[in-house]
Amino acid sequence: MNALLNLLPHLVNGVSLGLLFALIALGFMLIVGVMETINLAHGSLFALGMYAALFVMVPQLGWFPELQAAWMSLPVGTRYVLALLLAPLLVGLFGLLIELCLRRTYGRDPLYGLLLTFGAALVIEEGIRVLWGSTEKQLPLPEAISGAFIVGELLYSKYRLFATGFAIVAILGLWLFLEKTPYGAIIKAGAHDSEMVRALGIDLAKLRTAVFMLGTALAAIAGIAIAPIWGMRPHMGVDAVVPAFLVIVLGGVGSFWGAVLAGMMVGMVVGLSGA
């Protein structure tokens, strides 16, 4: 019994990591399904989401000191909420630029798309190093979700529980969007038969752009949520994209809840091996 109680914090950690892995993989899977392109820049966009959130929370506006001082006077909680809203939008716009470049590779050998996204990943990683340096950063957190609390003799991280709840809300929100809205139906149809979608008069180019932006925004959201757990380093993309590949393989391409279940499995393995 004591051994099980001692494992409980690690199980909680595994659940939170697993849900975040699933969130990364779902964005990756949407892009693969609709665009039939493996986005090797997905992990770098995940890392970019972390640093975009850091920029929103602690902007370096050397030319506008008054503006920076006014922004920093806002409560940490307010800046954190704004980071959760603005950073995925900024990364989604960056994803738009990558998709515009990818358009020249559609209909060609898949190797072209792989090479382009691999190059984009290198550019993003080096860009992060130029702008923020190579040293590890930490994302500031509001006091309400910082620190830990004690249950019995066990110590639990407040942020881990927040990250778990946040990931659940994000995954359910994505599921409702895909299952209950006409836009979600179009995305699912595009993943199964893009030619039929085109035949029905839907602009396939716009659909691909929207899906790529949504997938990169999901990667950014997962990056922001996992930043306080893993820390922030320019090469964090590799740490994210490898579990994402594994989750998709285990859960099956195109299976929403398969990806969630596989993410939980991978997260539990990571959490328990840490014990």
Side-chain angles (χ1 to χ4, degrees):
M1 188 65 180
N2 288 334
L4 182 61
L5 288 175
N6 290 332
L7 283 176
L8 199 55
H10 299 284
L11 291 172
V12 173
N13 294 344
V15 169
S16 61
L17 274 180
L19 290 169
L20 293 171
F21 285 158
L23 196 57
I24 301 168
L26 287 171
F28 191 84
M29 189 171 66
L30 283 175
I31 294 172
V32 172
V34 173
M35 304 182 67
E36 300 177 357
T37 298
I38 295 177
N39 178 24
L40 294 181
H42 199 73
S44 296
L45 291 164
F46 161 88
L48 185 61
M50 297 180 176
Y51 284 91
L54 181 65
F55 175 76
V56 172
M57 292 200 69
V58 190
Q60 301 299 318
L61 305 174
W63 291 352
F64 306 98
E66 295 85 1
L67 180 59
Q68 180 169 342
W71 184 263
M72 293 299 294
S73 66
L74 294 174
V76 176
T78 301
R79 285 184 279 134
Y80 185 75
V81 172
L82 290 172
L84 285 174
L85 296 174
L86 296 178
L89 178 61
L90 293 173
V91 176
L93 292 175
F94 198 88
L96 170 63
L97 297 178
I98 296 177
E99 196 277 333
L100 291 175
C101 296
L102 271 174
R103 289 185 180 183
R104 295 178 62 86
T105 69
Y106 296 155
R108 297 189 177 187
D109 190 307
L111 186 60
Y112 286 99
L114 286 173
L115 290 174
L116 192 148
T117 54
F118 179 70
L122 296 178
V123 170
I124 293 170
E125 185 175 322
E126 291 305 314
I128 289 173
R129 284 195 174 92
V130 169
L131 293 174
W132 286 281
S134 298
T135 57
E136 184 169 338
K137 309 289 185 185
Q138 286 294 332
L139 190 67
L141 290 176
E143 187 177 348
I145 56 176
S146 299
F149 63 95
I150 299 175
V151 177
E153 298 179 354
L154 299 177
L155 193 68
Y156 291 90
S157 166
K158 291 181 182 179
Y159 184 77
R160 295 270 186 171
L161 294 179
F162 168 78
T164 302
F166 178 80
I168 290 172
V169 170
I171 289 171
L172 288 177
L174 178 63
W175 179 79
L176 289 172
F177 171 74
L178 292 175
E179 294 293 331
K180 304 298 181 182
T181 68
Y183 304 105
I186 292 171
I187 290 173
K188 289 193 298 178
H192 288 287
D193 192 340
S194 58
E195 293 303 320
M196 182 60 69
V197 168
R198 183 188 282 115
L200 292 173
I202 296 169
D203 191 330
L204 193 58
K206 290 182 179 178
L207 175 63
R208 284 172 167 165
T209 301
V211 168
F212 201 91
M213 291 180 67
L214 175 60
T216 54
L218 288 172
I221 290 171
I224 298 167
I226 213 168
I229 299 172
W230 279 1
M232 297 168 55
R233 298 174 296 279
H235 58 274
M236 288 293 294
V238 176
D239 298 331
V241 79
V242 172
F245 272 120
L246 182 58
V247 167
I248 290 176
V249 170
L250 289 174
V253 177
S255 174
F256 186 96
W257 294 112
V260 174
L261 180 60
M264 293 285 289
M265 291 169 60
V266 174
M268 294 296 285
V269 169
V270 173
L272 291 176
S273 62

